[in-house]
Amino acid sequence: MRVRIPPPAQNRIMEIGEIVRQFREKQGMNVKDFAEKVGLTEHTIHRIEKGERSPKFSTVGKIFRTFDYDMTIKLFKTKP
C-alpha cells in the first residue's frame, strides 16, 4: 500500500530534491558520477531530485557530508 504524502510535506520533499539537484550541478557532476561518489544508485538520486522519494535525513546528510558541505545552510536557510 502506498502512503499518500500531504501537500505541505510533498512540497518540502520537492524542495529537498531541488536543493540536491542544484548542489550536484554546482559540483559539475552528472547523476551517475554523483551517485557513485555518495554511494547511492542513480535511480535513487533521480527520484530524490524529482521529489518522488522522501530521503531519510541521514541520506541527505550523507550526500552533503561527502562533499564536506554544511547542509543546515540550505535546508534550514541559515547563514554560516
Side-chain angles (χ1 to χ4, degrees):
M1 171 171 38
R2 286 189 96 174
V3 176
R4 184 155 171 84
I5 301 170
Q10 181 62 39
N11 290 344
R12 191 65 177 150
I13 291 166
M14 291 176 77
E15 186 177 336
I16 290 170
E18 181 65 18
I19 290 168
V20 170
R21 184 189 62 76
Q22 288 174 1
F23 182 76
R24 174 182 59 77
E25 289 176 349
K26 197 175 237 184
Q27 302 302 313
M29 300 182 86
N30 61 36
V31 174
K32 181 180 186 231
D33 294 338
F34 188 78
E36 277 182 22
K37 178 109 175 153
V38 299
L40 297 170
T41 66
E42 289 178 64
H43 183 70
T44 298
I45 297 297
H46 276 294
R47 290 189 66 210
I48 290 170
E49 289 184 359
K50 290 181 179 181
E52 296 173 355
R53 178 169 182 209
S54 174
K56 293 178 185 175
F57 194 75
S58 60
T59 300
V60 176
K62 179 180 183 178
I63 290 169
F64 289 103
R65 276 193 313 275
T66 299
F67 294 92
D68 200 26
Y69 184 81
D70 184 358
M71 70 182 174
T72 57
I73 294 168
K74 278 287 198 184
L75 294 179
F76 301 108
K77 299 184 178 15
T78 61
K79 296 186 180 188

